[in-house]
Short mmCIF file of all heavy atoms in Angstrom, two decimals:
data_model
loop_
_atom_site.label_atom_id
_atom_site.label_comp_id
_atom_site.label_asym_id
_atom_site.label_seq_id
_atom_site.Cartn_x
_atom_site.Cartn_y
_atom_site.Cartn_z
N ALA T 23 -48.49 -87.37 57.79
CA ALA T 23 -49.63 -87.68 56.91
C ALA T 23 -49.15 -88.17 55.55
O ALA T 23 -49.69 -89.14 55.00
CB ALA T 23 -50.52 -86.45 56.76
N ARG T 24 -48.12 -87.54 54.99
CA ARG T 24 -47.60 -87.95 53.69
C ARG T 24 -47.04 -89.38 53.75
O ARG T 24 -47.33 -90.21 52.88
CB ARG T 24 -46.50 -87.00 53.21
CG ARG T 24 -45.95 -87.36 51.83
CD ARG T 24 -44.77 -86.48 51.43
NE ARG T 24 -43.55 -86.79 52.15
CZ ARG T 24 -42.72 -87.80 51.84
NH1 ARG T 24 -42.99 -88.62 50.84
NH2 ARG T 24 -41.63 -88.01 52.56
N LEU T 25 -46.27 -89.66 54.79
CA LEU T 25 -45.68 -91.00 54.90
C LEU T 25 -46.74 -92.06 55.13
O LEU T 25 -46.61 -93.20 54.66
CB LEU T 25 -44.64 -91.03 56.02
CG LEU T 25 -43.36 -90.22 55.76
CD1 LEU T 25 -42.40 -90.35 56.94
CD2 LEU T 25 -42.68 -90.63 54.48
N THR T 26 -47.82 -91.70 55.82
CA THR T 26 -48.92 -92.63 56.02
C THR T 26 -49.65 -92.87 54.70
O THR T 26 -49.91 -94.02 54.32
CB THR T 26 -49.90 -92.09 57.08
OG1 THR T 26 -49.18 -91.81 58.28
CG2 THR T 26 -51.01 -93.09 57.37
N GLU T 27 -49.93 -91.79 53.99
CA GLU T 27 -50.63 -91.89 52.71
C GLU T 27 -49.83 -92.71 51.70
O GLU T 27 -50.38 -93.52 50.95
CB GLU T 27 -50.88 -90.49 52.15
CG GLU T 27 -51.63 -90.46 50.84
CD GLU T 27 -51.84 -89.04 50.35
OE1 GLU T 27 -52.34 -88.21 51.14
OE2 GLU T 27 -51.51 -88.78 49.18
N GLU T 28 -48.52 -92.54 51.70
CA GLU T 28 -47.66 -93.27 50.76
C GLU T 28 -47.23 -94.64 51.31
O GLU T 28 -46.41 -95.31 50.70
CB GLU T 28 -46.44 -92.41 50.40
CG GLU T 28 -46.85 -91.17 49.63
CD GLU T 28 -45.68 -90.28 49.24
OE1 GLU T 28 -44.51 -90.70 49.38
OE2 GLU T 28 -45.95 -89.15 48.80
N GLN T 29 -47.78 -95.02 52.46
CA GLN T 29 -47.61 -96.34 53.08
C GLN T 29 -46.18 -96.66 53.50
O GLN T 29 -45.77 -97.81 53.52
CB GLN T 29 -48.19 -97.43 52.18
CG GLN T 29 -49.67 -97.24 51.95
CD GLN T 29 -50.29 -98.32 51.09
OE1 GLN T 29 -49.60 -99.09 50.43
NE2 GLN T 29 -51.60 -98.38 51.12
N TYR T 30 -45.43 -95.62 53.88
CA TYR T 30 -44.13 -95.85 54.50
C TYR T 30 -44.32 -96.24 55.96
O TYR T 30 -43.52 -96.97 56.53
CB TYR T 30 -43.25 -94.59 54.42
CG TYR T 30 -42.71 -94.32 53.05
CD1 TYR T 30 -43.32 -93.40 52.21
CD2 TYR T 30 -41.58 -94.99 52.58
CE1 TYR T 30 -42.82 -93.15 50.94
CE2 TYR T 30 -41.07 -94.75 51.32
CZ TYR T 30 -41.70 -93.83 50.50
OH TYR T 30 -41.20 -93.58 49.24
N ILE T 31 -45.37 -95.69 56.57
CA ILE T 31 -45.75 -96.05 57.93
C ILE T 31 -47.25 -96.30 57.95
O ILE T 31 -48.00 -95.77 57.12
CB ILE T 31 -45.36 -94.95 58.97
CG1 ILE T 31 -46.03 -93.62 58.66
CG2 ILE T 31 -43.85 -94.80 59.06
CD1 ILE T 31 -45.80 -92.54 59.72
N SER T 32 -47.68 -97.12 58.91
CA SER T 32 -49.11 -97.43 59.03
C SER T 32 -49.82 -96.33 59.82
O SER T 32 -49.18 -95.50 60.48
CB SER T 32 -49.29 -98.77 59.75
OG SER T 32 -48.91 -98.64 61.11
N LYS T 33 -51.13 -96.38 59.79
CA LYS T 33 -51.93 -95.42 60.57
C LYS T 33 -51.63 -95.59 62.06
O LYS T 33 -51.47 -94.61 62.79
CB LYS T 33 -53.41 -95.64 60.28
CG LYS T 33 -54.36 -94.85 61.17
CD LYS T 33 -54.73 -93.54 60.56
CE LYS T 33 -55.89 -92.86 61.27
NZ LYS T 33 -55.54 -92.25 62.55
N ALA T 34 -51.52 -96.83 62.51
CA ALA T 34 -51.21 -97.08 63.93
C ALA T 34 -49.84 -96.52 64.29
O ALA T 34 -49.66 -95.93 65.37
CB ALA T 34 -51.27 -98.58 64.23
N GLN T 35 -48.87 -96.67 63.39
CA GLN T 35 -47.55 -96.10 63.65
C GLN T 35 -47.64 -94.58 63.70
O GLN T 35 -47.07 -93.95 64.59
CB GLN T 35 -46.56 -96.52 62.56
CG GLN T 35 -46.08 -97.95 62.66
CD GLN T 35 -45.11 -98.29 61.56
OE1 GLN T 35 -45.39 -98.07 60.38
NE2 GLN T 35 -43.96 -98.81 61.94
N ALA T 36 -48.33 -94.00 62.74
CA ALA T 36 -48.47 -92.54 62.70
C ALA T 36 -49.10 -92.02 63.99
O ALA T 36 -48.63 -91.03 64.56
CB ALA T 36 -49.31 -92.12 61.49
N ASP T 37 -50.13 -92.70 64.45
CA ASP T 37 -50.81 -92.26 65.67
C ASP T 37 -49.92 -92.37 66.90
O ASP T 37 -50.12 -91.64 67.88
CB ASP T 37 -52.09 -93.09 65.89
CG ASP T 37 -53.16 -92.79 64.85
OD1 ASP T 37 -53.06 -91.76 64.14
OD2 ASP T 37 -54.09 -93.61 64.74
N SER T 38 -48.94 -93.27 66.86
CA SER T 38 -48.09 -93.50 68.04
C SER T 38 -46.93 -92.50 68.17
O SER T 38 -46.30 -92.43 69.22
CB SER T 38 -47.53 -94.92 68.01
OG SER T 38 -46.45 -95.02 67.09
N ILE T 39 -46.65 -91.77 67.11
CA ILE T 39 -45.50 -90.86 67.13
C ILE T 39 -45.79 -89.64 68.00
O ILE T 39 -46.79 -88.95 67.80
CB ILE T 39 -45.10 -90.44 65.69
CG1 ILE T 39 -44.62 -91.67 64.91
CG2 ILE T 39 -44.03 -89.35 65.71
CD1 ILE T 39 -44.38 -91.41 63.42
N ASP T 40 -44.93 -89.39 68.93
CA ASP T 40 -45.05 -88.26 69.85
C ASP T 40 -44.71 -86.98 69.10
O ASP T 40 -43.54 -86.71 68.79
CB ASP T 40 -44.11 -88.47 71.04
CG ASP T 40 -44.18 -87.37 72.09
OD1 ASP T 40 -44.49 -86.20 71.74
OD2 ASP T 40 -43.90 -87.67 73.26
N ARG T 41 -45.73 -86.20 68.80
CA ARG T 41 -45.55 -84.97 68.01
C ARG T 41 -44.66 -83.95 68.71
O ARG T 41 -43.87 -83.28 68.06
CB ARG T 41 -46.90 -84.33 67.71
CG ARG T 41 -47.71 -84.81 66.54
CD ARG T 41 -47.69 -86.25 66.25
NE ARG T 41 -48.61 -86.56 65.14
CZ ARG T 41 -49.05 -87.75 64.89
NH1 ARG T 41 -48.68 -88.77 65.64
NH2 ARG T 41 -49.87 -87.96 63.88
N ASP T 42 -44.81 -83.81 70.02
CA ASP T 42 -43.99 -82.85 70.76
C ASP T 42 -42.51 -83.24 70.71
O ASP T 42 -41.64 -82.39 70.50
CB ASP T 42 -44.45 -82.73 72.21
CG ASP T 42 -45.83 -82.08 72.33
OD1 ASP T 42 -46.22 -81.34 71.40
OD2 ASP T 42 -46.50 -82.32 73.35
N ALA T 43 -42.23 -84.53 70.89
CA ALA T 43 -40.85 -85.01 70.84
C ALA T 43 -40.27 -84.82 69.44
O ALA T 43 -39.10 -84.44 69.29
CB ALA T 43 -40.78 -86.48 71.24
N LEU T 44 -41.08 -85.06 68.43
CA LEU T 44 -40.63 -84.89 67.05
C LEU T 44 -40.34 -83.41 66.76
O LEU T 44 -39.31 -83.08 66.17
CB LEU T 44 -41.70 -85.44 66.09
CG LEU T 44 -41.26 -85.76 64.69
CD1 LEU T 44 -40.15 -86.79 64.67
CD2 LEU T 44 -42.46 -86.27 63.90
N SER T 45 -41.22 -82.55 67.19
CA SER T 45 -41.01 -81.10 67.00
C SER T 45 -39.74 -80.64 67.70
O SER T 45 -38.97 -79.84 67.16
CB SER T 45 -42.22 -80.31 67.50
OG SER T 45 -43.33 -80.57 66.69
N ALA T 46 -39.52 -81.14 68.92
CA ALA T 46 -38.31 -80.78 69.66
C ALA T 46 -37.07 -81.23 68.89
O ALA T 46 -36.07 -80.51 68.81
CB ALA T 46 -38.33 -81.39 71.06
N PHE T 47 -37.13 -82.43 68.31
CA PHE T 47 -35.99 -82.92 67.54
C PHE T 47 -35.68 -81.96 66.39
O PHE T 47 -34.53 -81.60 66.17
CB PHE T 47 -36.24 -84.33 66.98
CG PHE T 47 -35.17 -84.73 65.99
CD1 PHE T 47 -33.92 -85.14 66.44
CD2 PHE T 47 -35.39 -84.65 64.63
CE1 PHE T 47 -32.91 -85.48 65.55
CE2 PHE T 47 -34.39 -84.98 63.73
CZ PHE T 47 -33.15 -85.40 64.18
N PHE T 48 -36.69 -81.54 65.66
CA PHE T 48 -36.44 -80.70 64.49
C PHE T 48 -36.02 -79.27 64.84
O PHE T 48 -35.60 -78.52 63.97
CB PHE T 48 -37.62 -80.75 63.51
CG PHE T 48 -37.62 -82.03 62.73
CD1 PHE T 48 -38.50 -83.05 63.03
CD2 PHE T 48 -36.69 -82.24 61.72
CE1 PHE T 48 -38.47 -84.25 62.32
CE2 PHE T 48 -36.65 -83.42 61.01
CZ PHE T 48 -37.54 -84.43 61.32
N ARG T 49 -36.07 -78.94 66.13
CA ARG T 49 -35.51 -77.67 66.60
C ARG T 49 -34.10 -77.86 67.16
O ARG T 49 -33.47 -76.90 67.60
CB ARG T 49 -36.40 -77.05 67.68
CG ARG T 49 -37.74 -76.53 67.16
CD ARG T 49 -38.50 -75.75 68.23
NE ARG T 49 -38.67 -76.47 69.48
CZ ARG T 49 -39.70 -77.26 69.78
NH1 ARG T 49 -40.66 -77.45 68.90
NH2 ARG T 49 -39.78 -77.86 70.96
N SER T 50 -33.61 -79.08 67.17
CA SER T 50 -32.33 -79.40 67.81
C SER T 50 -31.14 -79.16 66.90
O SER T 50 -31.27 -79.09 65.67
CB SER T 50 -32.33 -80.86 68.28
OG SER T 50 -32.16 -81.73 67.16
N GLU T 51 -29.98 -79.10 67.53
CA GLU T 51 -28.73 -78.97 66.79
C GLU T 51 -28.48 -80.22 65.93
O GLU T 51 -27.94 -80.13 64.83
CB GLU T 51 -27.56 -78.76 67.76
CG GLU T 51 -26.24 -78.56 67.05
CD GLU T 51 -25.08 -78.41 68.01
OE1 GLU T 51 -25.26 -77.88 69.11
OE2 GLU T 51 -23.97 -78.83 67.62
N ALA T 52 -28.90 -81.39 66.42
CA ALA T 52 -28.72 -82.64 65.66
C ALA T 52 -29.46 -82.54 64.32
O ALA T 52 -28.91 -82.89 63.27
CB ALA T 52 -29.20 -83.84 66.45
N ALA T 53 -30.70 -82.06 64.35
CA ALA T 53 -31.48 -81.93 63.11
C ALA T 53 -30.85 -80.89 62.19
O ALA T 53 -30.75 -81.11 60.97
CB ALA T 53 -32.92 -81.55 63.43
N GLU T 54 -30.41 -79.78 62.76
CA GLU T 54 -29.75 -78.74 61.94
C GLU T 54 -28.50 -79.31 61.28
O GLU T 54 -28.24 -79.05 60.11
CB GLU T 54 -29.38 -77.53 62.81
CG GLU T 54 -30.57 -76.72 63.25
CD GLU T 54 -30.16 -75.60 64.20
OE1 GLU T 54 -28.98 -75.17 64.19
OE2 GLU T 54 -31.04 -75.16 64.97
N ARG T 55 -27.76 -80.08 62.03
CA ARG T 55 -26.54 -80.68 61.49
C ARG T 55 -26.87 -81.66 60.37
O ARG T 55 -26.16 -81.73 59.37
CB ARG T 55 -25.79 -81.39 62.63
CG ARG T 55 -24.37 -81.65 62.33
CD ARG T 55 -23.62 -82.04 63.58
NE ARG T 55 -22.21 -82.08 63.29
CZ ARG T 55 -21.27 -82.26 64.18
NH1 ARG T 55 -21.59 -82.43 65.45
NH2 ARG T 55 -20.01 -82.29 63.83
N MET T 56 -27.93 -82.44 60.54
CA MET T 56 -28.36 -83.38 59.49
C MET T 56 -28.73 -82.63 58.21
O MET T 56 -28.36 -83.04 57.12
CB MET T 56 -29.55 -84.22 59.98
CG MET T 56 -29.17 -85.24 61.02
SD MET T 56 -30.60 -86.03 61.82
CE MET T 56 -31.26 -87.02 60.47
N LEU T 57 -29.42 -81.52 58.38
CA LEU T 57 -29.86 -80.74 57.21
C LEU T 57 -28.70 -80.10 56.46
O LEU T 57 -28.76 -79.94 55.25
CB LEU T 57 -30.87 -79.67 57.64
CG LEU T 57 -32.27 -80.20 57.90
CD1 LEU T 57 -33.09 -79.18 58.68
CD2 LEU T 57 -32.96 -80.56 56.58
N ARG T 58 -27.66 -79.72 57.16
CA ARG T 58 -26.56 -79.03 56.48
C ARG T 58 -25.41 -79.96 56.08
O ARG T 58 -24.46 -79.52 55.42
CB ARG T 58 -26.08 -77.83 57.28
CG ARG T 58 -25.36 -78.12 58.54
CD ARG T 58 -24.81 -76.84 59.20
NE ARG T 58 -24.05 -77.19 60.37
CZ ARG T 58 -24.50 -77.18 61.61
NH1 ARG T 58 -25.73 -76.79 61.85
NH2 ARG T 58 -23.73 -77.55 62.61
N ALA T 59 -25.47 -81.22 56.47
CA ALA T 59 -24.38 -82.15 56.14
C ALA T 59 -24.31 -82.38 54.63
O ALA T 59 -25.34 -82.48 53.97
CB ALA T 59 -24.60 -83.49 56.84
#
C-alpha cells in the first residue's frame, strides 16, 4: 500500500503481487540474510 501510494508501483502492479509468495519470501533464509547483511 505504501509503495502504491508513493507511486513506486501502480495499482495494477500492486494487485498482481502474490501475497502468499511474498509472505513466504519474508520468512525465508534469503530474506533473513538480506536483513542482516
